[in-house]
Amino acid sequence: MKNHLIIGFGKWSKKIIHFLEKKKIFNKIYVKNRTNYFEYSKNFKYQKISLNKIKKDINSIHICTPLKSHYFYLKKFINIQKIIVEKPFLQSIDQINNIEKLITKKKLIYVNYTYLFNSFFIDLKKKIKNSGIYEITINFSQKNNFYKKKYDCLKDWLDHPLSIILFLFDNFCYFKVIKKNFVKKHGYYEKIVLHYYFKNILVKVKINKSNINKKNIVIKNLNQITFDFDKNIIINNNRKITKQKYTSFDLLYLYLKNNKRLNYQNFNFHKKVLIEKDKILTQIKKTKI
């Protein structure tokens, strides 16, 4: 692959840049911080580069800025052939519709539902169709993780479990808010538990439920299988451990390189995630527990 532009220079984008540099995927990596554009290298120095000078050489971009600026940068770089956007994708259905009108079928655009870029979920989807699973728990907890405004945690994190549910079941079903707790201490620390009642399968979503770092999905049938998102391992009945060959980053950029079309990377999928998130936030605000 040729030249790549990372828009944003925060903690997450630096993690991506480190991965790309290690894998040597691109000839050049350019970076856009709040004010300027730079070429990234091991001896990285803030030497300003004109966007006009490098724009023709950029083949793909990865938008890693806060949600409120996604729409602006998508429109600004709409002519780039390959685009990755961090989740949440956009702020409204209107914004999604507007971008959909501008994107041609030849272009490749991924929303980075990070954990779906893993073969584990393809296998799990097949197992669900063959039944035998009676409970799935999706855990997203982060120790001492708080947000400045109430509900910001949910707005940021809900896309992960919702994209997983939509991918596995192709739709959403009735849900119930089981627990909610908002602790205000130097910001908001949010704890939410949701239950989705699919036919024969209960799906539990737990966000910031505990004071430990836990990002995994637990599948219960005759056995108990856990997929640890961060360690990229599968644990069977707390004993057998299988290391996944490729990380989500590996597969995301491999798919980008190979122009792979993914069935869940479409605007209807993104709209469903956003609509469901709005439903949950509305219900949480109404629910008294």
Side-chain angles (χ1 to χ4, degrees):
M1 295 176 76
K2 298 181 181 179
N3 301 329
H4 188 58
L5 171 64
I6 301 286
I7 303 175
F9 200 46
K11 183 178 179 180
W12 182 251
S13 60
K14 288 175 183 177
K15 185 175 181 179
I16 293 168
I17 292 167
H18 177 73
F19 163 80
L20 295 176
E21 187 180 43
K22 182 179 178 181
K23 297 289 182 175
K24 302 186 184 302
I25 294 174
F26 297 99
N27 295 333
K28 291 182 180 180
I29 299 172
Y30 296 107
V31 179
K32 164 72 171 69
N33 66 7
R34 289 186 179 184
T35 55
N36 297 313
Y37 292 83
F38 309 93
E39 181 181 344
Y40 189 88
S41 66
K42 286 185 178 179
N43 299 318
F44 182 57
K45 294 182 180 180
Y46 290 91
Q47 296 178 345
K48 183 179 176 180
I49 298 176
S50 167
L51 175 61
N52 291 332
K53 184 178 179 180
I54 64 174
K55 196 169 184 179
K56 291 182 180 180
D57 297 327
I58 296 171
N59 309 99
S60 57
I61 65 169
H62 192 152
I63 300 173
C64 304
T65 57
L67 171 60
K68 63 182 180 180
S69 62
H70 286 187
Y71 185 64
F72 169 81
Y73 284 115
L74 274 168
K75 288 201 302 180
K76 185 179 181 70
F77 292 98
I78 203 69
N79 291 325
I80 299 295
Q81 194 65 30
K82 300 179 182 182
I83 301 172
I84 302 172
V85 186
E86 283 302 313
K87 63 84 205 162
F89 180 35
L90 290 166
Q91 291 178 297
S92 69
I93 297 298
D94 284 344
Q95 286 187 351
I96 296 178
N97 287 335
N98 290 340
I99 294 299
E100 185 176 11
K101 292 174 185 176
L102 297 174
I103 294 288
T104 65
K105 291 183 179 180
K106 292 183 179 180
K107 291 185 183 297
L108 190 67
I109 179 167
Y110 292 149
V111 176
N112 192 16
Y113 307 113
T114 313
Y115 306 107
L116 287 187
F117 291 94
N118 195 297
S119 58
F120 174 84
F121 288 103
I122 297 173
D123 295 336
L124 179 56
K125 189 177 179 74
K126 293 176 182 176
K127 289 179 181 178
I128 287 174
K129 287 185 177 180
N130 295 329
S131 193
I133 295 172
Y134 64 86
E135 184 179 294
I136 296 174
T137 303
I138 305 171
N139 294 297
F140 279 93
S141 298
Q142 189 168 336
K143 188 176 181 181
N144 298 325
N145 185 257
F146 63 86
Y147 288 75
K148 291 181 179 180
K149 295 181 181 179
K150 195 174 183 180
Y151 305 117
D152 275 2
C153 170
L154 298 178
K155 291 176 182 178
D156 189 24
W157 278 26
L158 269 173
D159 290 67
H160 282 315
L162 292 182
S163 62
I164 290 170
I165 291 170
L166 185 55
F167 176 81
L168 293 177
F169 295 93
D170 299 317
N171 227 318
F172 294 108
C173 68
Y174 170 74
F175 73 86
K176 185 177 181 181
V177 180
I178 304 301
K179 292 182 181 179
K180 69 172 186 177
N181 186 22
F182 297 90
V183 178
K184 188 176 183 181
K185 186 179 180 180
H186 309 297
Y188 284 93
Y189 180 79
E190 305 180 3
K191 300 180 182 180
I192 300 295
V193 178
L194 307 172
H195 283 184
Y196 276 88
Y197 300 93
F198 289 94
K199 185 179 179 181
N200 300 324
I201 301 178
L202 171 63
V203 178
K204 299 178 180 180
V205 176
K206 299 181 179 182
I207 295 180
N208 275 13
K209 179 66 176 62
S210 63
N211 291 325
I212 62 173
N213 292 325
K214 183 190 291 186
K215 295 178 184 176
N216 64 26
I217 181 168
V218 181
I219 298 95
K220 292 184 179 179
N221 47 21
L222 295 177
N223 300 311
Q224 178 171 303
I225 299 171
T226 302
F227 176 42
D228 188 306
F229 297 143
D230 288 335
K231 294 180 181 178
N232 205 39
I233 58 174
I234 300 171
I235 305 168
N236 194 335
N237 285 337
N238 297 316
R239 293 193 302 272
K240 185 179 179 181
I241 297 178
T242 304
K243 178 75 172 180
Q244 294 287 84
K245 185 177 181 181
Y246 297 108
T247 68
S248 294
F249 277 175
D250 287 327
L251 291 171
L252 168 60
Y253 274 94
L254 179 63
Y255 293 159
L256 190 77
K257 178 182 178 180
N258 294 331
N259 296 302
K260 186 174 179 62
R261 302 286 169 175
L262 301 169
N263 58 4
Y264 64 90
Q265 288 291 346
N266 61 73
F267 287 99
N268 284 336
F269 188 96
H270 309 325
K271 289 174 189 176
K272 285 181 179 180
V273 169
L274 179 55
I275 290 169
E276 187 70 8
K277 181 163 65 173
D278 287 343
K279 284 182 183 178
I280 292 170
L281 288 167
T282 299
Q283 191 62 38
I284 285 173
K285 292 172 184 178
K286 289 181 180 179
T287 302
K288 294 181 180 180
I289 298 176

